Structures are given as structure tokens and as C-alpha cells.
Amino acid sequence: MEEQVLPELDVAELELQAVIGFNGHVPNGLKCHPDQEHLIYPLGCTVLIQAINTNEQNFLHGHGNNVSCVTISKEGDYIASGQVTFMGFKADIILWDFKKRELIARLSLHKGKIEALAFSPNDLYLVSLGGPDDGSVVVWSIAKRDAICGSPAAGLNVGNATSVVFSRCRDEMFVTAGNGTIRVWELDLPNRKIWPTECQTGQMKRIVLSTGMADDDSFFYLGTTTGDILKMNPKTKLLADTGPVKDKFSLGVSALRCLKMGGLLVGSGAGLLIFCKSPSYKPIKKIQLQGGITSITLRGEGHQFFVGTEESHIYRVNFTDFKETLIATCHFEAIQDIVFPFGTAELFATCAKKDIRVWHTMSKRELLRITVPNMTCHGIDFMRDGKSIISAWDDGKIRAFAPESGRLMYTINSAHRIGVTAIATTSDCKRIISGGGEGEVRVWQVGCQTQKLEEALKEHKSSVSCIRVKKNNEECVTASTDGTCIIWDLVRLRRNQMILANTLFQCVCYHPEEFQIITSGTDRKIAYWEVFDGSVIRELEGSLSGSINGMDITQEGGHFVTGGHDHLVKVWDYNEGEVTHVGVGHSGNIMAMRISPGNQYIVSVSADGAILRWKYPFAS
């Protein structure tokens, strides 16, 4: 999984226009830049720089695997980010120039994972903490872009150190903490050594989740898994106080920030955000947010701050009124499908696990969220008239929702035995074609009040993965993981033609002239087939690794796009059978993709919950 090398040399790069996504699981991953104008956060292998007031985004590409931590220097000139990698391999730290938005240096010493990073107050040093397989702490010189010294982060009989915080005043002191370990380190530059001192907490054994340093270095605070806060004195290395005694924070203190005016902002794993003070740590102000809190970052002195949660919500909170505003949201589970309404690229819908969401294409805003708790949505389609979103669910039901209000319009119960796995609608809005986990293809007649089963077509032996309907509604094609694609006559309701291949078919498209179809799946081959007799016309090598899960073709049929487990978006010339453009940006498996009506954009969605919008490379 190192950087993918593209074999085609003359392939142009696809331009990434926008990303909807935020990995809320990275501890302290959300950062507000000192210029107070930008948020910086990780998404997969990318670090995003998002302007707070405009929609402008910049992307820092360079990591070969998921970003595990991010930090910004005090003045804001530098960003440092660390990544995970495979066991035994070196995990890179990348030092970025914020203003130029470019890579300055790659720092490689740690193995497996970078756990945490912190800059010294005058931007002289960067300290890094390796993951559980590495266990070392390293101090880097920013000027020389090289390691000064390193040491094991924790003693032999304790667990791993997981967080690091630098002194706010001195470049020679920092603190590491983790499972049963709290250490204050002094940097001895002339001897290129760092000296640790264990902090004494007496009988208390704690696992530290979060750390914060007071502005004058007088104390530092530690948030624990047990939901209490320890206040330590860095000079004496002794415990100053601890609390709250009763009403500890449910699911642990997962984020913590010291404020200039005194007091702490505390976020819990249960999504509670509070302002409190030592020594009682009782809530002075509090609000409940959605998802465990993983980041609190101050804008300026903290008159305003931003909070990131595990459910990938980013909130803005004003300190005085302590009210939250949701400023960004995205899926936090694998996205299964994406679809545009007929004839418009202004909005699109996606589904992931229990959510269907409708997005405004240009502003990246969520317009509507439909949630069916404890269920999984496998596929969606807009009815041609735009009056309903039809969705396929793993409880065997087809649900139709109104796209403006999200109101449930009707449900088709027990549509399929082993869940509904694929869905499509006809352009006259009179029929729904659904596919199930048991392999049946069912044709439903839908009227104003009624939905009735017209025919169950039992040919496929395992689940139906994709359905596409011909423009005149007289024929459709279904792809299945049993290695067959079947072309059905929708007038006589029987099989016209069957296509066989040694693959699990994941996607299928009609060429707009509708005498050919293209398919792809787990064998990574893109095949062109004759609709008339089911014979194969040509086969292309679609990807170097992993299944191809999504494809779409333009309205003219000159080009098509594919994406899959290799994380690459590829644009193909239909007649030449060659890749013209490649888009690098996803860090999860691409699950589905669509070219927008009017060929302005390509939108691709992936297993890490990200939605990426690319500029369609050809003038239409």
C-alpha cells in the first residue's frame, strides 16, 4: 500500500474540486489555524485546509496511508502530520509549509504509527510519539529537519504513552502521558539527550486520554478513561488536585483545553461539552453534542472554538452563550451509493448505513438527512419526476421518501427475503425494479396509493449488485455476484439474454445507444458485451489491485468512469478502451460513482465516508 505508481505515463490528473468528509476518530484531529481563518483536519491520506468563511479547500497530498495525527506550530507557519502504516514499516511524519501549501520534509524513524505530535512554543522543535509497536519519543530540529534525540516513551512495567503536550513558554520541556505513565521531559540540547521524570500520582492508576497545558506552564491537566481530571505541577511533578469526585464524565474525558482566562473546556466520550474550573470540576456551562468528542480547538483566545466528534460533526461554539452551531457534517460509515436526480447536477443523494443524505453540490451543505435506526441502506434512486427517493434496505423493505421533507411516503414490506441489495426505477415513474440478497429480481407497479408485485424473476443464484434500465423502459440489465448478468424483457417479463463470466459482478452500464453493455467486478476486468446475443466484444484490465465497485457512463457514451479497491478514479475513452485521466484522493475503497447530468462533475464515494467531487475533464 505504498504510493501507487501509475503505469500509464500519458495519463492526465483529474482535478479534485471539493471534499465532503472529516475523520472524527483522529484524537485532536480538528485544528483551528492561528490566523483564525482556517480549519485543518485529516481525511484518509489527505490533510484538508478549509477556509472558515468561504468554501475554499486546499488538499495536502503526500501520505501513503491514513493520517493519524495533525498539529500546527504556534505562529502557524508549519503543519506536521503523522500516519499509520503496516506493521514493521516506517511511518512518515510530514512537515508542511502552511502558506505555500507544500511539503517541506519527510521525517522517518517511527514504525507502524505516529501516535501524537507537538511543536515547541518558538517553533524550534517538533516532538513525536510512536504507536504501540514503536513506543519511542523523538525530538526533531525544525531548522535541520532531522532528529536530535530519542528515547523509549514509557517505562517497562507500564502501558503506552498516547499523548504529548509541549510547554507553552519553554522550548526544552514537554509532557507525555498514556496508560499508567505521566512523564515530564527536559531536553538537554548540548548532549543531545532527553531526560524523563516520572510524575507521582500515589495510589491512583489512570489511563490518560487527553492533555492540556496552562498558558504559564504552572499546571498541566490530564483527562482519563475513568472520567476524571488530574491536575499536575510540572515543577514538583506532584498531583495538585483531581476531580470531579461524583458525577464523573461518562465514557471518559476524551478532549481537554485550557483557557487563557482560567478554567477548562472538557469533552466526554458521551458527547458532553462543559466548561469547568479546578478543583471541583463541576460544570459551569454545558451542552450535549452528537457523537463522542475527539477535538476541541480554540479560535484565537477561545472566545469561539470548534468541536469535532466521532460522528464526523464539526460544531462552532461561542464561549459567552455556549450554544453550538453545526458547521460541517458527513457520513461516518461506508457510503453504499450516490445518485443525481434526473437532469440536474445541483444536488445529489448518498446513503450509508442508517442514513440517506441529500447534498447541495456546490456548497457541500447537507440539505436533508433521513435516518432509519439500526438498518442499512444498500441503494437509492430518484424517481424521474423528482417526487420521491426510492431506497433499498437490509430488512427486506423498499422505502420511498419525499426528497424535500424526508417524510416516509410508502413502504413495500417483505420485498425480498435476504434484504434488498439493488434498486432502479423506470422513467415513466410507474415501476420499481429491485434485486435481493437471495438473487430474485422483482418488478413492482407503483401508483398513487398502491404498490403491487408484478413479477418475481428467479434466475440469479446469489445477490443482485446493480440494476440499470433501458431508456424506453422495455428492458433492464441486472448484475449479480453469482457471475451472471441478465438482460430482462420488461414487457413480457422474462429473460432475454444471459452473460457469464468468472467474476462477482459489481456494476453494469448501458452504452447510451443501448446495443452494448459494460460490466466490471472482482476480477478487475472491464468487459463490453453485445446485448443482442450476450457475446463478449472486448476485455480491458481495469485495475492493478482489488475489485472495481462503481462505474458510470456519459449521456453521449464517449467516456466512462470506474473506481474500486485501488482508491483511484479512472476516466476511460469508450472506443479506444484507454484511461485518459486518473484521480488520486480517496483513501478508502471507492464504493460507487456518478457523472453529473450535463457532464460537469464526477462524484465518487468511499468506504471511509468521504464524498469527493472532481471536475469532469472534457468540455461537453
Side-chain angles (χ1 to χ4, degrees):
M1 243 310 290
E2 277 306 294
E3 306 284 296
Q4 288 114 344
V5 182
L6 306 179
E8 307 90 354
L9 293 173
D10 52 351
V11 173
E13 200 175 316
L14 209 53
E15 182 192 327
L16 180 60
Q17 287 182 321
V19 171
I20 300 173
F22 158 61
N23 184 352
H25 291 282
V26 176
N28 295 317
L30 178 69
K31 301 280 185 197
C32 186
H33 192 273
D35 69 7
Q36 304 188 30
E37 299 294 316
H38 294 88
L39 288 176
I40 293 158
Y41 54 88
L43 177 68
C45 328
T46 314
V47 177
L48 252 95
I49 302 174
Q50 165 87 46
I52 295 171
N53 298 327
T54 68
N55 262 321
E56 194 202 353
Q57 290 179 323
N58 295 106
F59 312 102
L60 302 179
H61 296 296
H63 287 288
N65 208 321
N66 286 349
V67 176
S68 54
C69 53
V70 180
T71 189
I72 308 174
S73 64
K74 195 170 174 183
E75 295 302 314
D77 300 342
Y78 303 106
I79 299 173
S81 54
Q83 67 171 64
V84 286
T85 178
F86 300 103
M87 188 136 173
F89 286 89
K90 291 263 168 76
D92 286 352
I93 299 164
I94 297 182
L95 189 64
W96 308 90
D97 182 313
F98 173 75
K99 288 194 179 64
K100 294 185 183 155
R101 311 276 200 266
E102 62 188 37
L103 187 148
I104 300 174
R106 243 176 230 283
L107 312 174
S108 294
L109 262 185
H110 295 286
K111 285 196 168 88
K113 176 186 181 185
I114 311 297
E115 195 74 55
L117 292 164
F119 280 103
S120 72
N122 298 306
D123 297 0
L124 296 183
Y125 312 116
L126 174 70
V127 62
S128 61
L129 206 50
D133 303 333
D134 178 88
S136 59
V137 57
V138 175
V139 177
W140 306 82
S141 156
I142 303 276
K144 297 197 172 108
R145 319 206 192 307
D146 198 14
I148 298 170
C149 56
S151 160
L156 295 173
N157 50 358
V158 291
N160 297 315
T162 50
S163 57
V164 57
V165 60
F166 231 104
S167 149
R168 303 298 294 271
C169 315
R170 295 172 50 222
D171 284 302
E172 291 74 39
M173 191 259 288
F174 62 91
V175 175
T176 62
N179 185 349
T181 166
I182 304 165
R183 285 180 156 190
V184 177
W185 299 78
E186 288 286 341
L187 171 65
D188 174 359
L189 194 62
N191 297 317
R192 294 185 66 151
K193 283 264 191 299
I194 38 177
W195 304 105
T197 312
E198 292 288 344
C199 291
Q200 302 307 316
T201 55
Q203 293 300 305
M204 294 180 75
K205 294 280 176 279
R206 290 290 187 265
I207 300 173
V208 174
L209 280 176
S210 52
T211 47
M213 180 73 73
D215 266 344
D216 56 0
D217 279 358
S218 54
F219 295 101
F220 62 92
Y221 297 86
L222 307 162
T224 70
T225 51
T226 29
D228 47 12
I229 296 165
L230 313 184
K231 178 178 176 183
M232 306 288 303
N233 183 331
K235 290 192 182 60
T236 64
K237 325 289 190 276
L238 297 176
L239 188 62
D241 66 43
T242 171
V245 184
K246 298 206 294 271
D247 301 331
K248 296 198 188 331
F249 296 98
S250 172
L251 301 181
V253 175
S254 48
L256 193 146
R257 275 281 163 277
C258 298
L259 293 170
K260 266 231 167 84
M261 55 188 187
L264 296 174
L265 290 172
V266 177
S268 81
L272 189 67
L273 177 75
I274 73 151
F275 169 64
C276 63
K277 287 184 173 165
S278 154
S280 74
Y281 302 100
K282 284 203 174 80
I284 300 167
K285 308 178 174 205
K286 64 175 182 180
I287 37 178
Q288 181 65 48
L289 304 177
Q290 217 176 318
I293 294 171
T294 49
S295 306
I296 301 173
T297 181
L298 306 181
R299 190 174 188 178
E301 305 283 292
H303 59 287
Q304 200 180 58
F305 53 96
F306 297 91
V307 182
T309 76
E310 281 179 334
E311 293 199 7
S312 298
H313 286 43
I314 300 177
Y315 295 96
R316 185 179 61 225
V317 183
N318 285 327
F319 182 79
T320 38
D321 60 1
F322 226 67
K323 294 257 194 312
E324 79 277 16
T325 311
L326 182 64
I327 58 165
T329 171
C330 59
H331 289 292
F332 52 99
E333 270 131 354
I335 303 178
Q336 304 293 334
D337 204 1
I338 147 106
V339 59
F340 281 92
F342 178 73
T344 173
E346 257 182 62
L347 42 107
F348 61 87
T350 54
C351 66
K353 200 86 191 229
K354 61 181 197 287
D355 286 344
I356 297 172
R357 304 191 188 198
V358 179
W359 306 89
H360 185 258
T361 311
M362 280 319 291
S363 70
K364 311 186 287 288
R365 257 196 3 265
E366 182 185 279
L367 301 175
L368 174 71
R369 187 185 309 183
I370 300 163
T371 304
V372 181
N374 308 329
M375 299 300 161
T376 299
C377 183
H378 288 301
I380 45 174
D381 200 4
F382 277 100
M383 212 41 119
R384 171 72 72 105
D385 59 14
K387 289 188 179 143
S388 56
I389 297 173
I390 313 295
S391 54
W393 295 82
D394 69 343
D395 60 351
K397 295 181 182 180
I398 296 170
R399 292 178 170 89
F401 298 97
E404 263 101 45
S405 62
R407 176 179 65 87
L408 180 65
M409 294 165 72
Y410 59 82
T411 304
I412 302 176
N413 291 312
S414 338
H416 286 274
R417 281 207 313 284
I418 317 178
V420 190
T421 54
I423 201 141
T425 57
T426 58
S427 62
D428 58 9
C429 304
K430 288 183 179 154
R431 280 168 158 182
I432 295 172
I433 294 120
S434 64
E438 72 294 306
E440 280 190 26
V441 175
R442 296 188 161 189
V443 182
W444 305 88
Q445 268 190 332
V446 289
C448 298
Q449 304 299 320
T450 57
Q451 302 85 40
K452 76 174 205 283
L453 179 64
E454 205 174 329
E455 191 65 75
L457 306 163
K458 303 178 182 171
E459 295 257 358
H460 288 301
K461 300 284 180 288
S462 78
S463 73
V464 179
S465 51
C466 184
I467 305 172
R468 294 285 175 112
V469 182
K470 204 168 155 174
K471 284 198 205 75
N472 64 6
N473 300 326
E474 288 174 9
E475 184 184 284
C476 77
V477 57
T478 58
S480 167
T481 55
D482 63 2
T484 65
C485 279
I486 298 178
I487 293 158
W488 304 93
D489 183 327
L490 288 180
V491 181
R492 302 206 302 278
L493 294 171
R494 40 166 266 202
R495 183 176 99 186
N496 261 357
Q497 203 50 258
M498 188 158 175
I499 286 161
L500 280 161
N502 187 9
T503 180
L504 312 180
F505 283 116
Q506 299 292 351
C507 41
V508 59
C509 284
Y510 272 104
H511 184 274
E513 289 166 16
E514 296 180 334
F515 46 74
Q516 289 178 3
I517 59 170
I518 48 173
T519 61
S520 197
T522 52
D523 66 350
R524 314 195 303 276
K525 291 192 170 43
I526 297 166
Y528 295 42
W529 309 83
E530 202 65 74
V531 169
F532 170 66
D533 60 356
S535 61
V536 65
I537 304 160
R538 74 196 303 182
E539 271 196 343
L540 309 172
E541 199 56 56
S543 146
L544 293 175
S545 62
S547 162
I548 293 176
N549 306 322
M551 63 170 26
D552 197 19
I553 193 163
T554 59
Q555 286 146 332
E556 308 74 49
H559 294 90
F560 65 95
V561 292
T562 61
H565 279 36
D566 64 355
H567 306 175
L568 301 174
V569 174
K570 293 183 183 172
V571 182
W572 300 76
D573 183 302
Y574 188 90
N575 295 330
E576 300 295 322
E578 281 177 357
V579 177
T580 62
H581 292 73
V582 169
V584 182
H586 278 288
S587 50
N589 297 339
I590 298 172
M591 304 300 284
M593 56 204 316
R594 293 284 173 143
I595 300 166
S596 69
N599 299 351
Q600 280 174 286
Y601 322 110
I602 300 162
V603 176
S604 52
V605 298
S606 58
D608 55 2
I611 303 170
L612 274 64
R613 186 180 87 226
W614 311 82
K615 183 174 192 278
Y616 182 73
F618 302 103
S620 52

